[in-house]
Amino acid sequence: MLSSSSTTSSMLPSHDTVTSDRRCVAMETYWREVHSIEEEKEGEEEEEERKSMDEVELEEAWLTEAGLSSLVTGSVAAEETLPPAEVLLSTLTRQQVTTVRRRLDNYNETLKKRNRQPIRDVRDVFTEPDDDSADRCPSPPSHHAESPPSHHHTTTKTIRRNAHRVRPTLPMFVYEDQLPEHPSSPTNTHSPTNTHSPTLTPSPPHTHLPPTGRLRRADWLLRDTPYSEGVSEHKRGGTCWDCLRFHGDNNSELQFVPVSPSEGLTCADDLSSCDLTRLGFISHIEVSTFLLALGVQTKRTRPPRRRTRDSGVFGVPLNSLLENDKKKFPGVKVPVVFQKLLCILEQTGLQTEGILRVPGSAARLKYLRRELDRCSGAFDWSAVRQVDAAGLLKLFIRELPTPLLTHTHLSTYRSLLGVSSEVHQVQALQLLSLLLPEVHRDTLRALLVFLRKVVFHQDQNRMSVWNVSMVMAPNLFTCCHRGNKSSIAKQREEMEEAVGAARLIRLMITHQDLLWTVPTFLLLQVRHMNQVSNQKQLGLSRTTRRLLRRRNDKNDRNQVTELCEGVIRVQAPRHTKVSMAIQLDEQMTARDVTSRFECEDTPVQHLYEVGGNICERRLHPDCLLLDVYRVNPHCDWLIKP
């Protein structure tokens, strides 16, 4: 039983009474942070309890976020900018299709019970496949010697004009994929380098990483098969390949590092907004399929009603802050006030004992908050001490109308506590990070980079990764502290939630380089979606596409053979050398090409692949251009900052 004393220490639930996990010791830091937050909220209106969404709202929101809103709303206006439903569905694997089918069936069954009919019949868009439906739209050619079985499916479309609307169903699919017994990884890999860092808060490459011998290679990034395909062995009584490899690994504190494929490591920032949108649709479907395969259920709640301010700093949406900052600082990606607070802490607090943990004066914090809201542009930052900056930073995160991890995904983050394997937790965190809006993703990355610097100086500041995680967890995850009046069961549940939230933050800090990395299978699905969408825009018939595909496949093989002996033309419109013909060989990298255009007083240049089966992708300096060409033979090559 918890003590009923009114002292601050008595308000901190005793670890020994609620959990026996030896790793979750010294949770007093977490509860002191919760108590400090509650003191700051005294006199403020309490946030209303968040209610669960009903089945119709839940499924409709899920389908909309998956890019399939036309299946439930009947709207065709969005199809001008978003891929049609059949284009998206044609890229999905068997298990991903099963997830979509289950969601749509649940939506329709719920409508049927309420005597309602969907606005648009899905059979107005799809028909069941005929003899030609087995001819699938081609996936991007693989650069491996032995291509794995295809994991994509296709549908055909027929527009019908009738007034009869019945319950929608997903079309029939031709399944051709087989789960490999042991997912393999390409042997040709390159050491990763950190090429992109948050604005104004750069992380020097390899500064905060443990020795190379103590790193664990995240080679699952190289697989062509989705994560959900790998864990499906659990349901069939087999053993997951990742669990088999990392089971019993006592080095859980060691960092997973990205492993680069030969065509280059891809981060979220390397893709265009169009590709990121399509990547988000597939990631949304995959994370649901992945968690379902792991036996984890998620339940979303309605966002609480919170007042949104249009001016000031605190309580203002990140998008609004960023739009205002871009007027003065074009190209900024993280709100300036957030970067200012991080810079103060880096300059004065990294070696201060108890940074982020020691609370400042509540009265001074309120004063500084009022001043920042009143005159943020002319605010005197020299008067802000390290302890003040820490308090303002945490207050800024808590006051966001839309949480840094967003209302949409907070419940999914919490559901990861039911995943037993750390590898699978990291994989799910990676998929969720790719789903965050751009400004939220960039702000979270800047925060995690700073927290890693704090941990790097733990010998001086006494803030280990676990201490930092306990301090930040109540600020990133909404915490409802029920005090000592709740039952033992409630206390146990509260403690487990606290421990789980701190664990998630620890994983995000330790493995942050993986969070922004796009797995190979997701990029392949985006390429496939672009290719199908391009063919659809051309209005080609199935027979014409089949004949054209056969001819293109033959031409592609011939072109690759000729390219090994020939040249590519690289465009550089911002240089004196507008273009250059470059002969390729097996070892030529993007760095080799950009170095030929380097000159004095020019910013860092990057090579991009543009067009073909991708809208635009910035190439990793170490990627092999011949392998990029084999994946996207019809792309253009462009050099720009």
Side-chain angles (χ1 to χ4, degrees), residues 369-588:
R369 171 181 176 170
R370 287 196 302 267
E371 289 299 306
L372 269 172
D373 281 333
R374 185 177 63 85
C375 55
S376 58
F379 183 76
D380 182 14
W381 289 99
S382 62
V384 179
R385 300 170 299 181
Q386 174 263 324
V387 67
D388 300 329
L392 290 173
L393 177 71
K394 293 184 288 186
L395 180 63
F396 177 87
I397 294 172
R398 293 196 306 269
E399 291 292 315
L400 288 174
T402 301
L404 197 55
L405 301 179
T406 72
H407 291 300
T408 303
H409 305 301
L410 265 178
S411 59
T412 308
Y413 276 99
R414 291 190 177 97
S415 69
L416 300 186
L417 305 180
V419 179
S420 59
S421 169
E422 180 179 314
V423 175
H424 293 152
Q425 285 181 324
V426 173
Q427 290 172 334
L429 285 172
Q430 179 191 36
L431 294 173
L432 287 172
S433 299
L434 296 176
L435 287 175
L436 293 177
E438 183 177 3
V439 62
H440 287 253
R441 185 175 61 248
D442 291 334
T443 305
L444 176 63
R445 179 175 0 191
L447 176 63
L448 294 179
V449 168
F450 164 72
L451 296 180
R452 182 163 61 181
K453 293 177 181 179
V454 173
V455 175
F456 183 74
H457 292 84
Q458 60 181 303
D459 291 341
Q460 293 82 30
N461 56 40
R462 301 290 186 253
M463 293 293 290
S464 66
V465 65
W466 185 246
N467 288 331
V468 172
S469 301
M470 285 189 292
V471 171
M472 295 307 301
N475 297 281
L476 288 170
F477 295 96
T478 305
C479 176
C480 299
H481 183 43
R482 306 178 183 91
N484 297 324
K485 297 182 180 180
S486 56
S487 64
I488 292 296
K490 291 292 185 181
Q491 293 172 11
R492 184 185 299 275
E493 179 183 354
E494 186 177 351
M495 175 58 80
E496 294 298 335
E497 289 178 359
V499 171
R503 279 180 172 172
L504 287 181
I505 301 300
R506 179 186 66 82
L507 288 176
M508 295 170 70
I509 295 173
T510 305
H511 309 298
Q512 59 182 273
D513 292 330
L514 281 178
L515 301 185
W516 334 111
T517 306
V518 181
T520 297
F521 75 89
L522 280 181
L523 189 60
L524 286 177
Q525 287 186 281
V526 171
R527 290 184 185 276
H528 184 78
M529 190 187 305
N530 286 329
Q531 190 165 330
V532 174
S533 180
N534 292 339
Q535 291 178 347
K536 180 179 176 61
Q537 291 177 1
L538 293 175
L540 301 177
S541 65
R542 292 192 302 273
T543 303
T544 305
R545 287 200 301 265
R546 184 173 65 253
L547 295 175
L548 184 61
R549 181 171 67 253
R550 291 174 179 173
R551 186 180 66 182
N552 287 341
D553 289 343
K554 181 178 180 181
N555 291 340
D556 291 345
R557 289 192 295 269
N558 294 335
Q559 287 177 3
V560 170
T561 302
E562 294 172 1
L563 189 62
C564 295
E565 305 173 355
V567 296
I568 62 170
R569 182 161 295 279
V570 179
Q571 304 292 333
R574 302 187 183 186
H575 290 256
T576 53
K577 300 177 182 178
V578 178
S579 66
M580 180 185 296
I582 298 178
Q583 184 174 1
L584 289 182
D585 56 44
E586 293 286 347
Q587 302 300 323
M588 179 164 289

Side-chain angles (χ1 to χ4, degrees), residues 25-42:
V25 296
M27 287 299 292
E28 291 83 359
T29 300
Y30 179 95
W31 297 113
R32 286 196 182 98
E33 182 69 19
V34 172
H35 181 60
S36 176
I37 294 173
E38 290 176 345
E39 286 183 338
E40 293 176 9
K41 288 185 176 180
E42 287 183 0

Side-chain angles (χ1 to χ4, degrees), residues 154-180:
T154 188
T155 60
T156 49
K157 173 180 177 181
T158 302
I159 302 297
R160 294 181 180 176
R161 305 292 184 183
N162 65 48
H164 301 290
R165 292 167 181 165
V166 294
R167 188 167 63 91
T169 57
L170 280 177
M172 299 295 293
F173 290 85
V174 179
Y175 299 120
E176 299 181 7
D177 56 332
Q178 298 292 333
L179 182 66

Side-chain angles (χ1 to χ4, degrees), residues 66-68 70-71 79 81-93 96-97 125-126 137-138 152-157 170-171 173 274 278 281-282 285 524-539 545:
L68 301 172
S70 60
L71 299 183
E79 293 187 359
T81 56
L82 300 180
E86 66 269 27
V87 172
L88 175 58
L89 290 172
S90 69
T91 70
L92 304 182
T93 65
Q96 291 170 347
V97 166
V125 180
F126 300 107
C137 296
H152 304 298
H153 313 283
T154 188
T155 60
T156 49
K157 173 180 177 181
L170 280 177
F173 290 85
C274 177
R278 300 187 174 195
F281 294 150
I282 301 174
I285 297 173
L524 286 177
Q525 287 186 281
V526 171
R527 290 184 185 276
H528 184 78
M529 190 187 305
N530 286 329
Q531 190 165 330
V532 174
S533 180
N534 292 339
Q535 291 178 347
K536 180 179 176 61
Q537 291 177 1
L538 293 175
R545 287 200 301 265

Side-chain angles (χ1 to χ4, degrees), residues 1-7 9-14 17 484 491:
M1 294 288 292
L2 297 181
S3 172
S4 58
S5 172
S6 60
T7 62
S9 60
S10 66
M11 297 184 66
L12 311 177
S14 172
T17 61
N484 297 324
Q491 293 172 11

